[in-house]
């Protein structure tokens, strides 16, 4: 089995080699044989320098490398079945694509069966021959992947697929479809049809008779558990439509945040490690700026520099509403702290699990606004209501809530002081698609109501495309491309953006040419000369790209790029001219 988080699947105190060798000694091999087998296993999972990797600790490897090592351990006993439990959840698009390529290759070479568990439906569509859709412990639909995705025959499957931001849909066009209600609690008695309480097609038959297994098609390789598979077409009429004016950001609002020449350098063993290099950014009122890039590109460091969690280096400036704020949070005034808040990726680690939701939110209201007593409690209840949290939820502790409800609490805490700017760091990466849709709709509604600005960091390019008005693409601490969302997706792109977009698995089965990047993102402590992307760039110009670093220059109104290749030539190379 390959687990979701490779960092937790390995012992952080033991070198990779010792852990991998143990997998083979347990099978009866001698130490010498086990070491040779471990090296061969690392080569099999496409690790280029296995000797060096064997001598490292897990924390010294990237997420993609860690996952490859865990897969190598799982392959030690030559399994007939390889179970992958959300193996790419924490990985960016390019590394995710590499891991999936590896799984495909290993499946062909070893002839092993693969059971893939994932809430990323694009991965399931691109990798799996068959798909089973599970709800409340039961398979409600099963069949060939292409048929299930293109012609779903269970209301739950339809709900999942409609929850996705597909076909480039934007928040200005419509809200995402969601599945009302919640999963039945574990341990409670299940109804006759497990989906009946959330199904728009439910009738008295569904509430009194267990749905049969209904074959779909003539080949006998597909089924659904539903009384009304012939009425699935009626669900199309239930697609939500929200007027564009409700969700559109204003293009006329003034800038609330400006970063000028912001850099951040860490020190490790007396070595300078530049995590951010000369970043310039602007954020307008009511605007969402999406930040994308591989792990280690500087996205989270940029967010922390904005908030003052990691003070920026001397020479840079962070301006809020036109005035410069202190670099460190501790030196900022209460009003400045109140104006900028953050929603973290994992609400479990961001919320005090021993406090009730009410106490968590009251503390935030008191700290940020100075309001006390009944007034603070009234404000918390109004805030909770605006985020679809009931009074009952306020008296529960985070551990008693579902993942989606916990993330709502984290968002409520961020909005406790009516912030001007909210930084969202992967806020939906651990959520299933229906809960993700509800959170994205909630963020859109809050923005439309309060004109809050978002900095939205994510690996999920479809989510960023749906929510963001502009997108900044980062690589090795530098902004490589920034522009309006439609311009960045439509192209021409920076070669790095081009590779990121080509790696996205499509839930619609769209064929696209994958651009594979060689190697890993370089160490910021020893960046390449010239353009920092040139060692991995498939379009690098010899004698130019490795010599000088290109400036970030405007290639079209509101669209800037850091590349030596002229924009007309990029357009031709990418087949857009």
């Amino acid at each position: 089995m390959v687990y979701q988080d490779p960092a937790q699947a390995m012992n952080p105190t033991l070198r990779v080699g010792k852990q991998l060798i143990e997998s083979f000694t347990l099978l009866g091999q001698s130490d010498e044989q086990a070491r040779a087998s471990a090296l061969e296993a690392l080569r099999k999972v496409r690790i280029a320098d296995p000797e060096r990797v064997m001598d490292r600790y897990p924390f010294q490897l990237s997420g993609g490398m860690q996952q490859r090592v865990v897969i190598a351990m799982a392959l030690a006993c030559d399994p007939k079945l390889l179970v992958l439990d959300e193996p790419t959840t924490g990985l960016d698009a390019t590394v995710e694509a590499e891991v999936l390529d590896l799984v495909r290759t290993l499946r062909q070479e070893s002839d092993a069966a693969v059971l893939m568990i994932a809430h990323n439906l694009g991965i399931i569509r691109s990798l799996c021959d068959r798909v089973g859709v599970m709800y409340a412990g039961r398979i409600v639909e099963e069949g060939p992947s292409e048929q299930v995705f293109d012609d779903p025959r269970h209301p739950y499957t339809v709900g999942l697929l409609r929850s996705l931001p597909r076909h480039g849909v934007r928040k200005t066009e419509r809200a995402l479809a969601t599945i009302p209600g919640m999963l039945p609690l574990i341990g409670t008695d299940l109804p006759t049809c497990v989906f009946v309480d959330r199904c728009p097609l439910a009738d008295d038959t569904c509430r009194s008779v267990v749905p049969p297994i209904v074959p779909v098609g003539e080949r006998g390789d597909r089924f659904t558990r539903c009384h009304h598979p012939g009425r699935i077409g009626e669900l199309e009429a239930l697609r939500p439509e929200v007027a564009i004016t409700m969700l559109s950001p204003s293009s006329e609002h003034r800038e609330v945040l400006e970063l000028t020449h912001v850099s951040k350098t860490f020190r490790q063993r007396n070595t300078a490690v530049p995590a951010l290099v000369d970043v310039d950014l602007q954020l307008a009122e009511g605007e969402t700026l999406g930040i994308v890039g591989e792990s280690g590109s500087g996205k989270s460091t940029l967010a922390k520099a904005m908030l003052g969690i990691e003070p920026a280096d001397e020479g840079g400036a962070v301006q809020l509403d036109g005035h410069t704020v202190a670099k460190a949070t501790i030196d900022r005034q209460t009003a400045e702290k109140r104006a900028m808040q953050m929603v973290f990726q994992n609400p479990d680690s961001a919320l005090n699990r021993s406090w009730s939701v009410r106490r968590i939110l009251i503390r935030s209201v008191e700290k940020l606004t100075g309001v006390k007593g009944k007034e603070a409690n009234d404000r918390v209840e109004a805030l909770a209501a605006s985020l679809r949290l009931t009074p009952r939820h306020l008296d529960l502790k985070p551990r008693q809530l579902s993942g989606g409800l916990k993330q709502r609490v984290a968002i409520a805490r961020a909005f406790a002081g009516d912030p001007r700017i909210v930084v969202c760091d992967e806020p939906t990466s651990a959520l299933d698609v229906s809960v993700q849709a509800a959170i994205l709709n909630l963020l859109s509604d809050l923005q439309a109501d309060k004109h809050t600005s978002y900095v939205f960091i994510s690996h999920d390019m479809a989510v960023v495309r749906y929510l963001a008005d502009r997108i900044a693409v980062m690589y090795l601490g530098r902004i490589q491309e920034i522009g309006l969302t439609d311009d960045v997706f439509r192209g021409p792109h920076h070669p790095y953006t081009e590779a990121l977009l080509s790696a996205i698995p499509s839930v619609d089965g769209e064929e696209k040419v994958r651009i594979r990047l060689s190697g890993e993102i370089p160490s910021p402590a020893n960046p390449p000369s010239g353009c920092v992307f040139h060692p991995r760039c498939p379009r690098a110009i010899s004698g130019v790209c490795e010599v000088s670093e290109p400036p970030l220059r405007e290639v079209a109104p509101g669209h800037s790029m850091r590349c030596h290749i002229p924009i007309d030539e990029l357009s031709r190379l990418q087949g857009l001219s």
Side-chain angles (χ1 to χ4, degrees):
M1 184 163 182
V2 176
Y3 295 93
Q4 177 174 346
D5 187 351
Q8 293 189 13
M10 291 189 284
N11 188 328
T13 67
L14 298 178
R15 296 183 191 274
V16 168
K18 187 169 184 178
Q19 297 182 63
L20 192 52
I21 287 170
E22 183 183 39
S23 301
F24 291 95
T25 55
L26 289 173
L27 297 173
Q29 295 188 10
S30 66
D31 290 346
E32 185 176 345
Q33 288 175 321
R35 180 172 179 79
S37 297
L39 288 169
E40 181 58 30
L42 290 179
R43 293 188 188 98
K44 187 180 290 187
V45 296
R46 309 301 187 266
I47 288 179
D49 192 354
E51 289 278 4
R52 188 176 176 187
V53 170
M54 291 264 284
D55 199 42
R56 292 182 180 178
Y57 289 96
F59 65 83
Q60 294 175 307
L61 303 179
S62 66
M65 291 280 276
Q66 289 176 348
Q67 198 62 284
R68 287 169 187 261
V69 171
V70 172
I71 292 173
M73 292 178 180
L75 293 173
C77 61
D78 193 21
K80 298 300 180 186
L81 174 66
L82 186 62
V83 180
L84 305 173
D85 186 7
E86 299 277 6
T88 63
T89 295
L91 305 180
D92 57 73
T94 53
V95 179
E96 174 185 83
E98 290 170 7
V99 170
L100 295 180
D101 284 344
L102 173 64
V103 172
R104 292 187 189 95
T105 302
L106 293 174
R107 182 178 61 181
Q108 293 172 353
E109 292 177 352
S110 65
D111 203 28
V114 174
L115 176 62
M116 168 70 81
I117 302 166
H119 60 238
N120 185 326
L121 301 186
I123 289 176
I124 297 292
R125 174 74 187 252
S126 66
L127 182 72
C128 300
D129 303 308
R130 297 178 55 78
V131 59
V133 182
M134 200 168 192
Y135 184 84
R138 293 185 185 172
I139 300 289
V140 296
E141 182 171 3
E142 183 180 321
S145 295
E146 185 175 333
Q147 295 179 29
V148 172
F149 278 95
D150 291 344
D151 185 27
R153 285 292 156 195
H154 192 279
Y156 180 55
T157 311
V158 173
L160 287 178
L161 291 170
R162 286 173 49 195
S163 298
L164 294 170
R166 301 169 71 178
H167 308 298
V169 68
R170 304 288 308 284
K171 66 182 179 184
T172 50
E173 297 172 35
R174 63 172 173 83
L176 295 173
T178 59
I179 302 175
M182 295 176 61
L183 273 164
L185 295 176
I186 294 176
T188 58
D189 293 333
L190 293 175
T192 50
C193 171
V194 291
F195 192 59
V196 66
D197 293 331
R198 306 175 73 187
C199 181
L201 300 180
D203 57 19
D204 291 341
T205 302
C206 303
R207 296 180 179 89
S208 58
V209 180
V210 175
I213 295 177
V214 181
V216 177
E218 300 177 355
R219 297 176 58 183
D221 59 350
R222 185 179 176 195
F223 73 83
T224 179
R225 291 180 187 266
C226 182
H227 288 293
H228 309 296
R231 294 177 56 197
I232 294 298
E234 297 176 22
L235 298 176
E236 281 301 310
L238 303 177
R239 186 179 297 276
E241 297 294 339
V242 177
I244 290 176
T245 52
M246 290 179 62
L247 297 180
S248 293
S250 172
S251 59
E252 300 174 357
H253 289 160
R254 59 191 174 83
E255 290 177 358
V256 293
L257 180 71
E258 183 173 8
L259 275 63
T260 308
H261 302 303
V262 169
S263 299
K264 177 61 185 177
T265 305
F266 297 99
R267 300 203 68 83
Q268 293 180 352
R269 298 178 182 175
N270 296 322
T271 300
V273 182
L276 289 178
V277 180
D278 200 28
V279 172
D280 291 336
L281 272 181
Q282 297 81 37
L283 184 67
E285 183 181 31
E287 179 187 37
T288 300
L289 175 66
I291 309 286
V292 300
E294 289 174 288
S295 298
S297 61
K299 303 186 299 295
S300 293
T301 303
L302 176 61
K304 291 174 181 177
M306 292 178 184
L307 293 161
I309 298 172
E310 295 287 357
D313 296 344
E314 292 298 324
V318 177
Q319 289 190 323
L320 180 66
D321 287 326
H323 72 274
T324 302
V325 298
K327 291 182 171 60
T329 303
I330 195 171
D331 298 324
R332 293 183 183 177
Q333 300 175 9
T334 301
E336 295 168 345
K337 295 176 185 177
R338 176 180 174 179
M340 298 176 65
Q341 292 293 305
M342 187 164 187
V343 178
F344 294 92
Q345 178 175 354
N346 186 358
D348 284 313
S349 58
L351 300 174
N352 189 328
R353 62 187 66 190
S354 65
W355 285 11
S356 69
V357 171
R358 186 184 302 275
R359 186 179 177 188
I360 290 170
L361 296 182
I362 284 178
R363 181 181 185 276
S364 295
V365 168
E366 291 177 345
K367 286 281 187 182
L368 293 171
T369 68
V371 173
K372 305 284 185 182
K374 183 178 183 303
E375 189 178 352
N377 188 67
D378 291 345
R379 183 165 181 149
V380 163
E381 291 188 351
L383 178 66
S386 70
L387 276 93
R388 286 59 150 190
L389 293 169
T390 67
R392 176 177 170 272
H393 291 138
L394 290 176
D395 295 322
L396 297 176
K397 294 181 179 179
R399 65 172 179 269
Q400 297 172 291
L401 302 176
S402 67
L405 285 172
K406 281 185 281 196
Q407 197 60 287
R408 286 177 187 268
V409 173
I411 294 170
R413 186 178 64 176
F415 275 87
D418 290 328
R420 304 289 308 285
I421 300 160
V422 175
V423 179
C424 303
D425 189 1
E426 295 277 6
T428 63
S429 65
L431 306 177
D432 66 71
V433 293
S434 60
V435 178
Q436 171 184 275
I439 294 297
L440 293 177
N441 286 344
L442 175 64
L443 289 171
S444 296
D445 289 343
L446 288 169
Q447 185 175 56
D449 182 46
K450 300 177 182 294
H451 294 292
T452 310
S453 302
Y454 294 142
V455 176
F456 194 89
I457 300 169
S458 181
H459 287 137
D460 191 327
M461 299 293 283
V463 167
V464 173
R465 185 176 194 174
Y466 174 77
L467 195 66
D469 304 300
R470 289 189 302 138
I471 294 176
V473 183
M474 294 192 69
Y475 185 81
L476 213 63
R478 297 153 175 84
I479 291 178
Q480 300 292 337
E481 181 173 2
I482 185 168
L484 295 175
T485 299
D486 287 339
D487 292 342
V488 171
F489 271 84
R490 185 170 52 236
H493 326 279
H494 186 282
Y496 178 57
T497 310
E498 183 185 10
L500 283 180
L501 295 177
S502 76
I504 304 170
S506 171
V507 73
D508 300 306
E510 298 168 351
E511 294 291 333
K512 58 174 84 172
V513 178
R514 167 86 187 287
I515 298 172
R516 289 172 169 80
L517 299 180
S518 59
E520 293 191 337
I521 190 167
S523 168
N526 186 27
S529 60
C531 173
V532 292
F533 183 58
H534 89 263
R536 305 175 70 198
C537 180
R539 304 196 187 282
I541 304 172
S542 179
V544 176
C545 295
E546 70 272 26
V547 175
S548 62
E549 183 170 7
L552 184 67
R553 56 173 171 248
E554 192 170 65
V555 295
H559 189 188
S560 298
M561 204 177 291
R562 192 186 298 271
C563 187
H564 285 297
I565 304 173
I567 191 67
D568 292 340
E569 178 66 8
L570 271 178
S571 183
R572 186 188 67 79
L573 291 171
Q574 294 168 4
L576 300 172
S577 59

